[in-house]
Amino acid sequence: FRAEEIMAHSSNVSSVVLGKGSGRMLATGGDDCRVNIWSVSKPNCIMSLTGHTSPIESLQVNPNEKLIVAGSRSGSIRVWDLEAAKVLRTLPGHKANICSLHFHPFGSFVASGSLDTNIKLWDVRRKGCIFTFKGHTEAVRCLRFSPDGKWVASAADDHTVKLWDLTAGKLMFEFTGHTGPVNVVEFHPNEYLLASGSSDRTVRFWDLEKFQVVSCIEEEATPVRCVLFNPDGCCLYSGFQDSLRVYGWEPERCFDVVLVNWGKVADLSISNNQLIGVSFAQSTVSSFVVDLSRVPKSDSVPHGLIRDDQPLVPPTPAGSSLRRIYDRPSTSCSKPQRVKHNSESERHSPSSEDDRDEKESRAEIQNQEDYKEIFQPKNAICRTPPRNEPFPAPPEDEPGAAKEAVKPSQAVDVQTSLPKQELVRTVLFLLELLSQFFLQPDPVQRPPIASSTSLTRTEPSVIPAARNEPIGLKASDFLPAVKNQSQAELVDEEAMSQIRKGHETMCVVLTSRHKNLDAVRAVWSTSDIKNSLDSAVAINDLSVVVDLLNIVNQKASLWKLDLCTIVLPQIEKLLQSKYESYVQTGCTSLKLILQRFLPLITDILAAPPSVGVDISREERLQKCKLCYKQLKNISNVVKNKSGLSGRHGSAFRELLLLMAVLD
């Protein structure tokens, strides 16, 4: 049944995609150069993303629905952070329309396919193109990473499906057999099996061990628009013009045909045993829901696709296939190895032009309540629409489900039932806990909090790390705001309400900090200090970097030249922070680097070039050049702050003396 029809854009809609994490997040791109974010169950736009200067051609949401990437007709790619509501990266490089995009299942990587026939692999964190795959002769219409993140499959208008090895950076195999443009490709969630759908009206299944066709379903009347495996891999859902078909592949069979008036369906997703399909026409987008509990997926009477000379063999149950299973990595930090790189001209480095583009890109939050509910929940559970709320049942269903949905709202608020004294003790305990185990987060990431200080009071340039308060935090930020000191005392209920607001904020700070530190600790326990620092920097939270540097500073033997290239840009940020604890940590780390590595860096840069090829020396030389450039940038900050009085001024003056050789 049709769940919703919305007027998505002021002009024609050109691309639609569903978030696969919840199945209920919808993103639309239009000829108005905007990307609009919706919840499938709600008629109002949550957020509108701008920045592209040409129509949107392709969209993709990452697995946890935190990021969205959009490709335009001009070949430009932009990545937005949905929680921060801002553009994260601009990735230029393609010379024509972006026809397909896909996020890597683990790392911060995006694959893009274009009308220029090239496939590019991008590192979102470092804003660069890692590799360009060339081999197709026409537009690349669909890209999919394998569940283990080691391969990427591409479907193109040249009638071929290609499988690329990310580790080796080369083509593994080319699957031929389709007689028309291949519109879509999809990996089986568990087995070494690939499905492809084409405008030649066939669905083909490919064995990824033997690199041969498993089966081909040919008796369809319209082109294949999209395909999606059931989460347990028992069957394949295929979207056609006004119909959904459920297929098995060994042997090929159709378990069911569901007539759905969705026209040219654009994308499919599954949530709570419901299949959601979306389609678009002109400026409207329609969503449709199919109850999968009513759809046979196996062991049913087939719909005429079994040949007369074949016995009716039941399909292999999920999980018992003889095919090889994907070896998924044990941690979420896995990423494709960068064995091959592009030339310097191919790799993209940040420039002032890109910074200007990113400033021009913005996110307009159309519905503040829905935005906070979906992307910034107070309890930091999940940014996506809740999974446990299926769409309303079709009209012919019993209305019992609607009654069940009302029950959660009758639950008693646990916080309101707490005794007042216990609430106060809880807030004070959390403040004390924060002072003992955590450092102040980056102020940019902190939600706005009412403060009891006067608006006319000017904040000090550096907030001291007082002993009687948590580092960098003010207890007054979490207490009720007092506009007039002569005012009568607040009534108990109002005071408790204000304290509860501070309690929730503190819980969010603690939860976020603990989660980030756990992630860095997990990397350190399974890898080395360099990788753990890389992960800390990628989190984009200076407090995590400070925590890690405070440990590394206590053991000078941990420092290597590799660490310097990672840490120096972070030190530059720390030295300009308004928090005293951050500045102290930055000064300590910089002093260690200058004492241990500056003589080595200057000696290597001053040495004459070596005779012959010495790869290790060349790598060391490049690292020294990078460190020297970063130190020159930091020296300007140190010079500006060396005139300060007190403890900070003396620390910066000492650093200035150590950096004198740079001049």
Side-chain angles (χ1 to χ4, degrees):
F1 70 98
R2 178 172 295 191
E4 194 75 48
E5 181 173 322
I6 54 175
M7 185 71 68
H9 290 267
S10 58
S11 58
N12 287 343
V13 177
S14 52
S15 181
V16 175
V17 71
L18 285 163
K20 300 301 187 288
S22 66
R24 297 180 60 188
M25 176 184 161
L26 172 66
T28 63
D31 288 350
D32 57 3
C33 310
R34 286 176 174 262
V35 177
N36 292 338
I37 308 298
W38 313 77
S39 177
V40 178
S41 59
K42 298 182 179 180
N44 299 321
C45 177
I46 299 171
M47 183 167 33
S48 184
L49 308 173
T50 63
H52 276 297
T53 56
S54 58
I56 309 299
E57 290 290 313
S58 182
L59 291 168
Q60 194 65 228
V61 181
N62 77 330
N64 57 17
E65 298 182 356
K66 295 179 183 178
L67 305 176
I68 184 169
V69 60
S72 71
R73 193 170 294 172
S74 66
S76 174
I77 300 171
R78 276 179 166 81
V79 184
W80 281 274
D81 184 325
L82 294 177
E83 183 188 38
K86 67 176 184 179
V87 70
L88 190 64
R89 289 286 180 263
T90 300
L91 306 172
H94 283 291
K95 300 175 182 177
N97 300 28
I98 305 297
C99 303
S100 53
L101 294 161
H102 200 237
F103 275 99
H104 192 273
F106 310 122
S108 300
F109 303 93
V110 173
S112 60
S114 170
L115 194 64
D116 63 13
T117 73
N118 292 333
I119 301 166
K120 289 182 181 289
L121 184 64
W122 307 88
D123 187 335
V124 174
R125 295 172 304 174
R126 290 177 174 80
K127 204 176 181 181
C129 178
I130 301 172
F131 201 82
T132 299
F133 297 99
K134 299 184 178 182
H136 284 291
T137 57
E138 293 187 44
V140 181
R141 293 298 176 186
C142 185
L143 291 170
R144 288 292 182 270
F145 284 102
S146 61
D148 61 2
K150 296 179 181 179
W151 304 333
V152 64
S154 58
D157 285 353
D158 58 10
H159 307 180
T160 66
V161 174
K162 295 181 187 288
L163 188 66
W164 308 87
D165 188 329
L166 298 180
T167 305
K170 64 180 182 180
L171 177 68
M172 282 184 63
F173 197 80
E174 177 180 314
F175 298 99
T176 58
H178 284 293
T179 58
V182 187
N183 301 323
V184 65
V185 68
E186 191 75 33
F187 282 95
H188 190 280
N190 303 311
E191 304 173 18
Y192 274 32
L193 183 74
L194 186 70
S196 59
S198 169
S199 294
D200 64 7
R201 300 174 295 180
T202 67
V203 176
R204 291 178 180 267
F205 297 90
W206 311 93
D207 189 310
L208 299 182
E209 277 191 289
K210 300 175 182 177
F211 297 110
Q212 63 186 27
V213 66
V214 174
S215 56
C216 177
I217 297 173
E218 300 177 337
E219 298 182 7
E220 307 306 335
T222 59
V224 185
R225 307 286 305 175
C226 46
V227 296
L228 180 68
F229 279 101
N230 199 65
D232 63 4
C234 65
C235 63
L236 179 80
Y237 303 105
S238 298
F240 293 86
Q241 177 86 24
D242 290 328
S243 70
L244 172 73
R245 295 173 185 264
V246 188
Y247 293 133
W249 49 89
E250 286 180 315
E252 61 265 28
R253 63 182 66 199
C254 180
F255 294 127
D256 198 9
V257 178
V258 182
L259 298 180
V260 189
N261 189 29
W262 55 26
K264 295 181 179 179
V265 61
D267 198 18
L268 300 174
S269 184
I270 293 175
S271 173
N272 299 304
N273 206 30
Q274 294 177 329
L275 184 139
I276 300 100
V278 288
S279 63
F280 60 91
Q282 296 180 342
S283 60
T284 62
V285 173
S286 301
S287 57
F288 300 80
V289 178
V290 177
D291 187 354
L292 295 182
S293 62
R294 304 177 181 180
V295 177
K297 305 177 184 64
S298 61
D299 300 323
S300 60
V301 179
H303 286 245
L305 278 175
I306 296 294
R307 300 185 181 89
D308 294 336
D309 58 347
Q310 283 188 334
L312 184 60
V313 182
T316 307
S320 62
S321 173
L322 297 177
R323 250 184 224 96
R324 186 174 170 185
I325 305 299
Y326 289 106
D327 297 323
R328 289 175 173 81
S330 57
T331 69
S332 61
C333 300
S334 302
K335 58 185 180 181
Q337 301 175 20
R338 303 184 201 177
V339 175
K340 295 192 177 183
H341 294 274
N342 293 342
S343 63
E344 288 300 320
S345 60
E346 186 70 33
R347 288 180 62 81
H348 177 67
S349 59
S351 65
S352 58
E353 183 179 349
D354 299 325
D355 294 338
R356 186 166 60 251
D357 287 344
E358 291 180 17
K359 288 178 183 177
E360 292 172 356
S361 303
R362 65 184 186 275
E364 300 171 3
I365 299 174
Q366 310 284 354
N367 191 317
Q368 192 72 32
E369 291 182 4
D370 287 349
Y371 170 73
K372 288 182 177 179
E373 177 187 348
I374 294 175
F375 297 109
Q376 293 183 339
K378 293 180 180 179
N379 294 327
I381 302 279
C382 175
R383 291 187 185 83
T384 61
R387 289 167 173 259
N388 59 353
E389 297 179 10
F391 290 105
E396 62 267 26
D397 282 356
E398 293 296 325
K403 295 180 181 177
E404 290 293 324
V406 182
K407 289 184 180 179
S409 64
Q410 300 171 359
V412 178
D413 187 353
V414 178
Q415 290 184 355
T416 57
S417 63
L418 285 173
K420 298 172 185 176
Q421 295 85 354
E422 188 176 339
L423 267 175
V424 175
R425 283 199 299 271
T426 303
V427 173
L428 294 176
F429 168 75
L430 287 172
L431 286 169
E432 179 65 20
L433 185 67
L434 183 67
S435 68
Q436 293 179 17
F437 294 101
F438 297 102
L439 294 173
Q440 163 66 16
D442 191 350
V444 176
Q445 297 183 354
R446 233 175 92 190
I449 304 169
S451 174
S452 61
T453 55
S454 173
L455 295 176
T456 58
R457 179 181 171 185
T458 58
E459 288 287 340
S461 58
V462 176
I463 298 176
R467 296 291 298 172
N468 59 348
E469 286 188 357
I471 296 174
L473 281 180
K474 300 177 188 175
S476 59
D477 286 344
F478 299 89
L479 295 175
V482 180
K483 298 180 181 178
N484 187 355
Q485 295 293 344
S486 62
Q487 248 183 354
E489 287 188 2
L490 295 172
V491 295
D492 289 347
E493 289 77 10
E494 189 175 349
M496 289 303 103
S497 174
Q498 293 289 342
I499 291 176
R500 276 195 292 272
K501 290 181 182 177
H503 172 78
E504 288 179 358
T505 305
M506 178 62 75
C507 285
V508 171
V509 172
L510 287 168
T511 304
S512 174
R513 191 81 53 78
H514 190 267
K515 180 181 176 183
N516 291 340
L517 290 172
D518 268 350
V520 175
R521 185 180 64 178
V523 176
W524 196 335
S525 61
T526 59
S527 187
D528 56 13
I529 179 64
K530 181 180 180 298
N531 287 334
S532 60
L533 263 172
D534 265 328
S535 64
V537 171
I539 290 173
N540 198 26
D541 184 348
L542 276 181
S543 65
V544 178
V545 176
V546 170
D547 283 340
L548 201 54
L549 286 180
N550 283 334
I551 298 172
V552 179
N553 289 344
Q554 295 176 18
K555 195 170 182 181
S557 60
L558 290 174
W559 284 93
K560 306 291 181 187
L561 194 59
D562 282 335
L563 292 188
C564 297
T565 59
I566 303 171
V567 171
L568 283 172
Q570 304 305 311
I571 290 177
E572 185 176 359
K573 296 177 184 177
L574 295 178
L575 296 182
Q576 299 176 77
S577 173
K578 67 177 182 177
Y579 296 106
E580 183 183 31
S581 57
Y582 287 16
V583 178
Q584 288 173 350
T585 301
C587 288
T588 304
S589 299
L590 181 58
K591 185 178 178 181
L592 280 169
I593 292 174
L594 293 173
Q595 290 174 339
R596 291 178 62 88
F597 295 103
L598 186 56
L600 173 67
I601 292 171
T602 53
D603 289 344
I604 290 178
L605 293 179
S610 61
V611 179
V613 178
D614 187 345
I615 296 177
S616 61
R617 185 186 184 281
E618 286 298 319
E619 289 177 349
R620 192 163 57 250
L621 179 61
Q622 292 303 318
K623 291 173 187 174
C624 288
K625 286 182 178 178
L626 181 58
C627 288
Y628 185 87
K629 182 180 178 181
Q630 292 168 343
L631 286 171
K632 287 288 286 183
N633 293 337
I634 294 175
S635 68
N636 295 327
V637 178
V638 173
K639 284 178 184 176
N640 293 336
K641 292 185 175 288
S642 60
L644 295 174
S645 59
R647 181 172 51 180
H648 284 97
S650 61
F652 281 115
R653 283 189 287 274
E654 183 183 0
L655 291 173
L656 190 61
L657 289 174
L658 292 173
M659 302 178 81
V661 295
L662 295 173
D663 299 327

